[in-house]
Amino acid sequence: MKPAAFDYLRPASVAEALAALARGGEDARVVAGGQSLMPMLNMRLVQPRLLVDLSRLEELRRLDSRDGWLEVGAAVTQSELMARSTLAEEVPLLAAALPWVGHFQTRNRGTVCGSVAHADPSAEIPLCLVALRGQVLLRSARARRAVPAESFFLGPLTTVKAADEIIEAVRFPLRGSGTGYAFREVAMRHGDFAITACAAVADAHVLRLAVGGVADRPTARDWPFLFGAAMDEALNAFAWDLGGDDDQHATAAYRRTLVRGVGRAVIEEALSCR
Amino acid sequence: MPIMNADTRHPVTITLNGRSRTGHAHPRMLLSDFLRHELGAHGTRVGCEHGVCGACTVRIDGVAQRTCLTLAVQADGRRVDTVEGLAPEGRMTALQEAFRRHHALQCGFCTAGILMSLSDYLERVPRPTEGELRDMLSGHLCRCTGYAGIVRAVMDVTGASTEVADV
């Protein structure tokens, strides 16, 4: 399986990349790590006329915390983020979820922003971004804008990002005091896409559960404090509202069972580690 | 940098196992094909060509990654290390010897990729637990060994014990 032919641009600056995307329109695609896009090119599921490679742009290698956010630039790989020694204190949910993203070999090249741009409904990084109410920083030759994670994802492989925009960076809020976080997923094999993944955030007032792999995008719900049967009822209602389908990996009923069971487990874990 | 035209073969220079090598590639050419067909470095195997099997793993600037998910033009100017470079003097490395001792390969198709992953991984995690090692190996498909021999071989060279019984 080989990609169909395309022109290739390794821009010297973000401005050059954005100008090329503005000219290329819908026929241009952005590549950074390529761990999602390259398989689609190889299988010819996408056939762009122009590939714009962001992977060597130093401007996009920013990885720092400031103003209450951890900001991850478009060229930062998943491995580089995992290797950040302060990550577990800064964004504990990401530290828990990143080992579930693909494999050692794909994390070495795959980028954090690339996973967000790809918008697979079962992917872990978009799920964390939604669970934590992160932001996606978009930039085109026209303008810059920051989009809240919950309004960024529209459906499978579909986002509000326009063809001439790149994700310049994504932002995760830094750990809140008195807040607990937990992540778990169920997949056929480790490294596979999740059948269901759950991320919970619990502080003194609110429980928040985000679920991936069931609805057409990562989806979160907030509750005030719930206990016992009230929590079971709330999780059951959420599981039905997510509206998962049967597919070759699991039935919709099994997915609801996972939301109820794994959802409860991550909520309890998040509560216990506040 | 100007746009590289789809219909033109562009010069690509990499440092392959310490030697500067130049070939030509259309933008769509995968690094796996560039290594094998353009530079004649056949040690790197091509399996699934969509990033699942791990057979084509090499080190690019020291980092283990899949060459079927990398374009040749993206590797331009980079250092690429392949299985041919592991034992430059014709003597196998300790890990390769351990692979032979523990029957860590049968057909050998996955072996080059696994060795290249391990050469990066063991520099970062010199003494992995069996669980950590198996987690890393989940990025490679081996259909002959069931991984038992591979795990034994790695645990042998790292000096760690393994729960996998010798057969």
Side-chain angles (χ1 to χ4, degrees):
Chain A
M1 294 181 293
K2 320 288 181 191
F6 48 76
D7 295 339
Y8 171 84
L9 174 65
R10 189 196 308 146
S13 66
V14 173
E16 187 186 349
L18 295 175
L21 289 172
R23 283 193 307 272
E26 300 283 344
D27 290 332
R29 289 296 289 256
V30 170
V31 67
Q35 301 301 286
S36 300
L37 182 63
M38 286 298 302
M40 293 171 71
L41 288 171
N42 288 1
M43 291 188 269
R44 303 199 179 191
L45 296 172
V46 288
Q47 300 193 13
R49 305 241 322 243
L50 171 67
L51 210 57
V52 178
D53 185 353
L54 305 182
S55 62
R56 292 202 202 186
L57 290 173
E58 280 303 314
E59 298 168 70
L60 298 177
R61 296 199 46 76
R62 199 174 59 242
L63 173 57
D64 54 21
S65 66
R66 59 177 167 194
D67 306 329
W69 302 95
L70 177 69
E71 199 163 308
V72 185
V76 175
T77 67
Q78 295 148 13
S79 283
E80 285 165 343
L81 181 58
M82 260 175 98
R84 182 176 172 87
S85 58
T86 48
L87 184 66
E89 286 93 66
E90 288 166 332
V91 190
L93 185 66
L94 259 186
L98 280 172
W100 294 89
V101 178
H103 303 279
F104 170 76
Q105 299 82 359
T106 59
R107 291 191 298 263
N108 279 344
R109 192 170 173 87
T111 62
V112 176
C113 291
S115 175
V116 172
H118 185 59
D120 188 294
S122 61
E124 294 85 359
I125 294 171
L127 176 64
C128 290
L129 200 63
V130 166
L132 296 170
R133 301 179 200 272
Q135 292 185 346
V136 183
L137 306 184
L138 295 171
R139 181 174 166 190
S140 69
R142 298 170 286 121
R144 280 187 157 115
R145 57 179 177 142
V147 179
E150 276 179 287
S151 38
F152 180 74
F153 301 103
L154 297 178
L157 315 194
T158 311
T159 70
V160 301
K161 187 181 82 64
D164 67 341
E165 285 179 311
I166 65 163
I167 297 181
E168 193 174 20
V170 291
R171 271 178 176 171
F172 297 89
L174 297 177
R175 162 185 224 155
S177 65
T179 308
Y181 305 87
F183 177 91
R184 292 189 194 184
E185 79 171 45
V186 174
M188 294 298 278
R189 288 171 301 262
H190 187 87
D192 282 7
F193 279 110
I195 293 173
T196 296
C198 292
V201 181
D203 63 21
H205 309 289
V206 179
L207 297 174
R208 180 172 172 83
L209 176 67
V211 174
V214 181
D216 64 352
R217 70 197 87 170
T219 306
R221 183 165 288 184
D222 297 300
W223 296 285
F225 263 93
L226 293 169
F227 298 96
M231 189 192 285
D232 288 335
E233 270 175 42
L235 284 167
N236 186 48
F238 187 32
W240 280 96
D241 291 347
L242 286 166
D245 291 319
D246 295 347
D247 63 20
Q248 71 269 39
H249 301 298
T251 61
Y254 180 55
R255 288 192 161 90
R256 286 192 294 274
T257 302
L258 291 175
V259 172
R260 288 186 291 256
V262 182
R264 182 164 190 132
V266 289
I267 286 173
E268 285 171 355
E269 188 183 332
L271 284 169
S272 72
C273 63
R274 279 181 298 163
Chain B
M1 171 172 261
I3 288 178
M4 293 186 187
N5 188 282
D7 304 322
T8 309
R9 296 175 78 235
H10 304 271
V12 172
T13 300
I14 62 173
T15 303
L16 178 62
N17 299 319
R19 279 181 56 207
S20 180
R21 298 284 306 273
T22 299
H24 291 79
H26 289 111
R28 72 179 185 127
M29 187 179 220
L30 302 176
L31 179 58
S32 42
D33 288 337
F34 180 77
L35 289 172
R36 292 176 58 86
H37 304 314
E38 192 66 13
L39 301 185
H42 298 129
T44 301
R45 302 292 196 254
V46 176
C48 71
E49 278 193 331
H50 63 288
V52 173
C53 78
C56 68
T57 302
V58 305
R59 295 176 75 175
I60 302 176
D61 286 347
V63 179
Q65 44 198 288
R66 313 239 195 267
T67 52
C68 75
L69 300 186
T70 306
L71 299 169
V73 290
Q74 290 182 297
D76 188 36
R78 303 277 196 205
R79 192 176 89 239
V80 178
D81 294 299
T82 66
V83 71
E84 292 99 327
L86 283 181
E89 287 155 33
R91 293 217 332 262
M92 291 201 289
T93 63
L95 185 62
Q96 286 172 309
E97 289 283 1
F99 263 55
R100 186 169 69 178
R101 237 177 6 258
H102 291 279
H103 306 288
L105 62 147
Q106 184 176 319
C107 83
F109 201 85
C110 68
T111 310
I114 291 177
L115 287 170
M116 296 319 292
S117 270
L118 282 167
S119 72
D120 175 10
Y121 180 75
L122 292 176
E123 284 176 15
R124 298 192 218 181
V125 187
R127 285 176 62 93
T129 63
E130 185 175 333
E132 289 169 338
L133 175 63
R134 285 181 176 273
D135 185 47
M136 189 285 282
L137 287 172
S138 71
H140 292 276
L141 293 183
C142 171
R143 299 291 81 152
C144 302
T145 67
Y147 303 93
I150 300 168
V151 170
R152 275 200 306 271
V154 177
M155 292 316 207
D156 188 350
V157 295
T158 61
S161 63
T162 169
E163 289 168 16
V164 182
D166 256 310
V167 285

